[in-house]
Each structure stands twice: as structure tokens, then as C-alpha cells.
Amino acid sequence: MVNVLAVDGGNSKTDVVLLNELGEILARGRGGPFAPQSEGVGPAVDVIESVVRQAIGFTGQADHLVTFLAGADLPEEERAIEAELSGRALAREVVVRNDTFALLRSGASGPWGVAVVCGAGINAVGVSPTGRTTRFLSLGAISGDWGGGLGLSAETLWHAARAEDGRGAPTRLAELVRSHFGADTVERVVIDLHLGVLERERLLELTPGLFRVAADGDGTALGLVSRLADEIATMAQVCLTRLDLLGTPAEVILGGGVLRARDPLLTA
């Protein structure tokens, strides 16, 4: 019996399944975020090992460990993670890839196409019929990225702060921020973030509210949703252009928490 450990390590959670060669799921488990860039490679891999050994209860060595991971954005990062995983005796063979390729593989009807993932962050990859690939650095603002839950929530707070203090246009996003965090002012939320009273990761909680405010017709919120749609379409178009697929029928797979929510405005 061939055992395969399959890992989807993302910014918000890490999912692991144990499969046999027929694709039957023998066990599954979930752990915390896979965050090598902020926590380090060792602690990030600890999350995977903990899910395998404790949540799943697999104590042996699998034949294959196939991982699709956030934070595996550069070849040297893939190699560092692969080396760390190989030293844990979880499997005889270890494969490390960026998690966006998992979206393409799981969503496309064939082995090629383009995938855009919009979850906590945003990224896109493309694979041509000949196997040629393209991707973005996806390192955040320093590599030209915009969007994803983290980007949207930061923009929500930015507009809310400016609306409250008079530098920006009025927007119901200010009330969203105040009500969501139970604060009298947006300024209080900003100060709590600055002092560490409020964890910055909690800003992600604002993203669903942003879409609700946009659905009610708020101009600022609508602008952010429209900008995100443009960004998603642009990333897909660039991938198709790089692979000479613009004139060829090709699948574009959309995934990640923000897109999977199927907000009517964004989807349209």
C-alpha cells in the first residue's frame, strides 16, 4: 500500500490529508498558518509535522509528501522548506511547490491553464500546454501586489481613518470599523493596533463587511471592489500573455477565500 501525505499550507490554516494510491482519504487534519517568512522555516514546518503526527496520528513514514505552500515563492525558499521537511522523516520523497499551483491542479480540467488566488494575499500562476510556467513574486507591496484580504482590510481602515478625521471622503467604512471592533472611534482602533492591544491579523475580519458596505452602494467600498476585480483580471491576462495563450481557449481558475465567497459584485 502506497501512502501519500498531501499538504495545503496557507496564510490562515494548514490542511493535511493521508491518501492511498487510489486517492482514498485515510485521515485528515488541520493546523495553524504556514508562515515561513514571518516565523521561520523550522517553526513553519513544525506546524505540518504537528498535524501529521498529532492531529492525524500518522507515526510512520509515507512514500510521498506533496506540499503546496504559501511562502514558497522563490526557488531558494522551496529548497529550504524541502530540506527541512526531508529532515523530519515524514516521507521518503518530498515535493514542495507554491500553493497557487494546487488551485490550478484542483480546478482545471487538464494539466494547464491559469489560476488566480485571492485569499489573505493575492497571486497567480500559469502553465502552458507545453509545460512552460509563469508566476509572480507575490511578496506584497514591494513586488507590486495589491489585493487579497490583508490588502482590502488595510484599505478599509485607511479610508475609514481619513473619513473620520476629515482628510478623506465620507464613507460607511468608518462605521464598519467602529462597530466591528466595538470602539467609539476609528482613531481608538488605530491606537490599539499601534500599541499591540489589537492584533493586526484581526483586520482580516473587516473584509466581509467591506463587501456588505459596497453592496449597499457606498462609493468608496464599491471602488475597492472594482479595483480588486481589475487586479484579478489583469493578473490572469498577464499570465495568458506571457504564455502566448490570449488567442487560445484557456481555463482561468479563481480561488482563495475572497473569491470563493462568490460576492455578487466581485463575481459580476
Side-chain angles (χ1 to χ4, degrees), residues 180-242:
H180 182 80
F181 292 112
D184 292 334
T185 64
V186 176
E187 182 180 90
R188 182 71 259 167
V189 174
V190 172
I191 292 172
D192 286 348
L193 286 167
H194 175 70
L195 295 178
V197 176
L198 187 64
E199 294 183 357
R200 290 185 178 270
E201 290 75 13
R202 288 202 60 198
L203 283 179
L204 271 171
E205 299 170 9
L206 294 172
T207 304
L210 164 65
F211 286 103
R212 290 195 300 271
V213 173
D216 289 337
D218 182 87
T220 300
L222 280 168
L224 291 175
V225 174
S226 177
R227 183 181 174 188
L228 179 60
D230 287 342
E231 188 70 12
I232 292 166
T234 297
M235 295 183 85
Q237 182 177 358
V238 169
C239 286
L240 292 166
T241 300
R242 288 177 177 175

Side-chain angles (χ1 to χ4, degrees), residues 4-255:
V4 179
L5 285 166
V7 180
D8 174 18
N11 293 303
S12 59
K13 57 182 171 53
T14 299
D15 287 315
V16 182
V17 295
L18 176 66
L19 311 150
N20 61 24
E21 72 269 25
L22 300 177
E24 297 170 334
I25 296 177
L26 307 178
R28 68 172 75 222
R30 172 171 289 182
F34 183 84
Q37 291 162 333
S38 60
E39 302 296 328
V41 172
V45 171
D46 286 344
V47 174
I48 295 176
E49 184 173 17
S50 175
V51 177
V52 172
R53 300 303 190 200
Q54 297 175 27
I56 290 181
F58 181 73
T59 58
Q61 187 177 46
D63 297 284
H64 306 284
L65 171 61
V66 184
T67 65
F68 290 87
L69 307 169
D73 299 305
L74 303 173
E76 51 264 43
E77 291 172 332
E78 291 180 349
R79 289 193 294 269
I81 296 169
E82 183 177 326
E84 183 71 26
L85 283 168
S86 297
R88 303 295 180 101
L90 295 171
R92 285 184 282 275
E93 180 192 48
V94 176
V95 175
V96 176
R97 295 290 184 270
N98 182 268
D99 59 342
T100 313
F101 285 102
L103 171 62
L104 177 60
R105 181 64 184 87
S106 63
S109 62
W112 62 277
V114 167
V116 182
V117 60
C118 186
I122 191 167
N123 198 3
V125 298
V127 179
S128 77
T130 63
R132 187 158 57 99
T133 64
T134 187
R135 59 196 291 186
F136 297 94
L137 281 177
S138 191
L139 301 178
I142 60 172
S143 60
D145 305 330
W146 186 90
L150 289 171
L152 290 173
S153 59
E155 290 280 348
T156 297
L157 182 60
W158 189 88
H159 284 287
R162 292 174 68 87
E164 183 176 88
D165 68 21
R167 287 177 294 172
T171 170
R172 290 178 58 194
L173 293 176
E175 177 54 33
L176 167 67
V177 172
R178 289 191 292 264
S179 63
H180 182 80
F181 292 112
D184 292 334
T185 64
V186 176
E187 182 180 90
R188 182 71 259 167
V189 174
V190 172
I191 292 172
D192 286 348
L193 286 167
H194 175 70
L195 295 178
V197 176
L198 187 64
E199 294 183 357
R200 290 185 178 270
E201 290 75 13
R202 288 202 60 198
L203 283 179
L204 271 171
E205 299 170 9
L206 294 172
T207 304
L210 164 65
F211 286 103
R212 290 195 300 271
V213 173
D216 289 337
D218 182 87
T220 300
L222 280 168
L224 291 175
V225 174
S226 177
R227 183 181 174 188
L228 179 60
D230 287 342
E231 188 70 12
I232 292 166
T234 297
M235 295 183 85
Q237 182 177 358
V238 169
C239 286
L240 292 166
T241 300
R242 288 177 177 175
L243 297 175
D244 299 320
L245 294 176
L246 268 183
T248 302
E251 292 177 313
V252 177
I253 311 303
L254 305 179

